[in-house]
Amino acid sequence: MESSALPRPVASPLPARPTALLRHRHLSAFRLLPLHSSSPISYARRALSPLPLPLAPCRVKPSLQLVRASSSPSIAAPNPESTPAPSPQPAQGAKPVPLAISLAVGLAVRFLVPRPVEVTPQAWQLLAIFLSTIAGLVLSPLPVGAWAFIGLTASVITKTLTFSAAFGAFTNEVIWLIVISFFFARGFVKTGLGDRIATYFVKWLGKSTLGLSYGLTVSEAFIAPAMPSTTARAGGVFLPIIKSLSLSSGSNPGDRSAGKLGSYLVMSQFQAACNSSALFLTAAAQNLLCLKLAEELGVKISSPWVSWFKAASLPAIVSLLATPYILYKLFPPQVKDTPDAPALATKKLEQMGPITTNEWVMVGTMVLAVSLWVFGDALGIPSVVAAMLGLSILLLLGVLNWDDCLSEKSAWDTLAWFAVLVGMASQLTNLGIVTWMSNCVAKFLQSFSFSWPAALCVLQASYFLIHYLFASQTGHVAALYSAFLAMHLAAGVPGAVAALALAYNTNLFGSLTHYSSGQAAVYYGAGYVELPDVFRLGFIVAGVNALIWGVVGTFWWKFLGLY
């Protein structure tokens, strides 16, 4: 479906190059990032075909241009005789230094740190294995799935956990809901539905650069509840549109012209996306996990989809409206008006043609799934069952096929490592480690005579800033959410406030750095923003979000009766 909508490439002063060569060159922009979550590269690789916009007659650096494989005859195919076969890469094991540090963390806790009398030997040994696993998550001696499996093996071979306890989280409903969400995201990209929706918003709001940014921001918020992958939304929908609009304005990645339009649009979309993810429970995979972990600690959110949206609605909408304007002032584009953008979007929609049958099926399936997520509690239908029903419809009607699901490697990789971390975290809770840690922190905070609002601020800020050490939002949640929630509860913070605030923060810190989330890698890899700007503006917008959510959220949650 996607390839049939590709336009003929516009004539360019650059000679035609083999598609494989272009793909090889553009991926160099992504190799800088140590990712531990589902890799955004697959979305960026297959989703970055430009809109059919007339490109300015400027020379685009081929090393930064992202190109999709195409069957168009105007793109030269690689000659097998002139293209040498790639030499096989030597097998590589674990990186020695990260491996040594990760193992040393666990061994030091197990054999050098005195075990508290309140903690059993089994619990202390599991904590050592868990901390070693988390250290590997940060340092990456091996891919995260491989390292998690080694940690799981260590817990079983040392008889810290039984086999059934170690693998118990593989039947966790939330983890399977996250896996299925990857398949939904693939359906949006494959059918082109997400691209069509975003292009409509460009047509309606794109007469100025600021309006263009608002159009993209609103369109992401619109599709977020039915497309539960920030990485897929970034790489499969919004970055291709931003690149095409930027190139048509003569704004090229990697040179001074990037500041004309592309730098601002990329930064604005990147920073606003975190609020789109925080607005809906089903807008990001980590949201579902947060509420599941909260439930294990006794914090039950009734009608979770509706409760989540009600609590997030006002602060998230205020942040969504403020972010493009603030960045427009702090990081202004050189091009202020884009009068041609609506016409170009209209042309794009004409070339896409009428909505296809597969797009209608995708729309109907997502309406059904979101409706069941909203009203599932009243109907007695769990969220994962609603997702399974939606995926079954897509498979039966041919929108997706089983090969699509099998080739979604990030989904299966997430199932493997995520289940390991969630299982370990759950066992730590059962064995009393989380309670012991939270009581220690609570006593420390009480020594300063902190009230629960002050404790809330200190703990939330700590949870947020620790993300500078993580390259995965879901990994951060699996490692620290339960412990921090228990600390909040021990300090007297109301359960619903603590659970939701931590969950919302999990989305907001996704825009801190170029490695803080999957969408961060996609947007930074486009080549339009410099690394110092990412860190500087990421910190500033984080402060703005903290102010908005802290002030607006405080009054709004009081009005809703959360405390």
Side-chain angles (χ1 to χ4, degrees):
M1 182 63 62
E2 280 184 312
S3 60
S4 63
L6 290 175
R8 275 192 172 282
V10 180
S12 168
L14 294 175
R17 296 176 182 269
T19 306
L21 178 59
L22 288 175
R23 184 180 293 136
H24 169 77
R25 291 188 175 186
H26 86 254
L27 286 179
S28 62
F30 289 91
R31 290 186 180 134
L32 302 174
L33 304 176
L35 296 180
H36 305 296
S37 60
S38 59
S39 173
I41 304 304
S42 59
Y43 288 111
R45 181 183 296 165
R46 70 171 175 261
L48 289 180
S49 73
L51 296 171
L53 306 179
L55 302 183
C58 55
R59 189 176 182 88
V60 180
K61 296 182 179 180
S63 61
L64 292 173
Q65 187 177 5
L66 303 182
V67 180
R68 185 213 302 259
S70 171
S71 59
S72 172
S74 59
I75 298 181
N79 185 349
E81 296 181 357
S82 61
T83 306
S87 58
Q89 296 293 325
Q92 294 181 350
K95 302 172 186 175
V97 174
L99 174 64
I101 296 175
S102 301
L103 293 177
V105 169
L107 292 173
V109 172
R110 175 64 179 85
F111 295 107
L112 299 181
V113 178
R115 176 176 59 86
V117 294
E118 304 95 326
V119 178
T120 64
Q122 178 192 11
W124 194 248
Q125 185 159 289
L126 181 59
L127 177 62
I129 295 172
F130 181 73
L131 291 177
S132 182
T133 304
I134 296 304
L137 184 74
V138 175
L139 300 174
S140 299
L142 285 171
V144 65
W147 185 250
F149 181 79
I150 291 173
L152 186 70
T153 302
S155 69
V156 175
I157 204 169
T158 58
K159 298 184 178 179
T160 307
L161 296 176
T162 63
F163 184 89
S164 58
F167 282 85
F170 281 85
T171 61
N172 187 297
E173 292 183 2
V174 171
I175 293 176
W176 279 101
L177 181 56
I178 292 170
V179 171
I180 295 174
S181 75
F182 282 95
F183 303 146
F184 285 165
R186 175 177 277 260
F188 266 90
V189 174
K190 181 179 180 180
T191 61
L193 178 61
D195 187 19
R196 184 184 295 274
I197 292 172
T199 305
Y200 268 113
F201 278 96
V202 172
K203 174 183 175 181
W204 296 330
L205 300 174
K207 292 183 179 180
S208 67
T209 301
L210 185 59
L212 192 58
S213 178
Y214 275 113
L216 294 170
T217 298
V218 172
S219 62
E220 176 157 11
F222 183 80
I223 68 174
M227 193 175 185
S229 171
T230 52
T231 303
R233 294 199 300 268
V237 177
F238 293 99
L239 185 58
I241 293 175
I242 290 172
K243 281 182 66 70
S244 295
L245 291 169
S246 301
L247 291 171
S248 69
S249 299
S251 181
N252 304 309
D255 60 30
R256 293 182 179 180
S257 67
K260 287 184 177 180
L261 184 64
S263 296
Y264 168 73
L265 290 181
V266 166
M267 184 62 71
S268 177
Q269 194 69 19
F270 172 39
Q271 295 297 334
C274 61
N275 284 290
S276 297
S277 298
L279 183 56
F280 301 100
L281 175 61
T282 51
Q286 63 269 8
N287 297 347
L288 303 160
L289 177 63
C290 287
L291 293 197
K292 178 65 176 178
L293 295 176
E295 187 176 341
E296 292 179 357
L297 289 176
V299 181
K300 173 73 173 177
I301 306 295
S302 60
S303 302
W305 203 98
V306 176
S307 298
W308 178 290
F309 175 73
K310 284 170 59 178
S313 57
L314 188 57
I317 291 172
V318 171
S319 290
L320 282 171
L321 294 176
T323 299
Y325 182 78
I326 291 171
L327 288 172
Y328 190 78
K329 295 298 183 180
L330 295 177
F331 195 57
Q334 298 169 16
V335 175
K336 307 295 184 181
D337 297 312
T338 54
D340 295 334
L344 295 172
T346 301
K347 182 178 179 181
K348 164 66 175 177
L349 291 169
E350 291 174 354
Q351 293 192 4
M352 291 179 72
I355 299 179
T356 64
T357 301
N358 281 352
E359 288 178 273
W360 280 119
V361 171
M362 195 73 205
V363 170
T365 302
M366 290 298 95
V367 169
L368 174 64
V370 172
S371 299
L372 292 177
W373 287 335
V374 174
F375 303 108
D377 279 359
L379 299 174
I381 300 176
S383 296
V384 68
V385 176
M388 292 168 64
L389 176 61
L391 178 59
S392 299
I393 292 172
L394 297 180
L395 291 170
L396 286 171
L397 298 182
V399 176
L400 293 175
N401 56 53
W402 191 239
D403 283 338
D404 290 326
C405 298
L406 292 177
S407 62
E408 196 67 34
K409 295 181 181 179
S410 54
W412 305 112
D413 183 56
T414 298
L415 171 65
W417 71 264
F418 210 10
V420 171
L421 291 181
V422 171
M424 285 188 180
S426 178
Q427 290 299 321
L428 287 173
T429 301
N430 295 338
L431 294 173
I433 284 288
V434 173
T435 301
W436 167 75
M437 292 177 62
S438 63
N439 289 336
C440 291
V441 174
K443 291 177 182 177
F444 175 76
L445 294 175
Q446 288 170 2
S447 67
F448 291 95
S449 300
F450 280 162
S451 61
W452 75 256
L456 173 68
C457 294
V458 170
L459 292 172
Q460 290 289 332
S462 301
Y463 180 76
F464 191 96
L465 294 174
I466 286 174
H467 194 66
Y468 277 107
L469 302 177
F470 282 87
S472 165
Q473 291 167 288
T474 48
H476 189 146
V477 170
L480 298 178
Y481 183 89
S482 295
F484 269 84
L485 178 56
M487 295 175 199
H488 281 74
L489 299 178
V493 181
V497 172
L500 290 174
L502 285 171
Y504 295 143
N505 255 337
T506 300
N507 292 286
L508 298 180
F509 58 47
S511 299
L512 266 180
T513 68
H514 65 301
Y515 58 83
S516 57
S517 59
Q519 73 267 23
V522 172
Y523 285 124
Y524 176 70
Y528 276 100
V529 291
E530 299 292 334
L531 196 56
D533 290 328
V534 175
F535 275 86
R536 176 177 62 88
L537 294 172
F539 185 80
I540 292 173
V541 175
V544 172
N545 283 328
L547 182 64
I548 293 174
W549 282 81
V551 175
V552 177
T554 296
F555 291 102
W556 180 238
W557 295 350
K558 181 68 174 178
F559 175 78
L560 294 177
L562 292 182
Y563 67 94

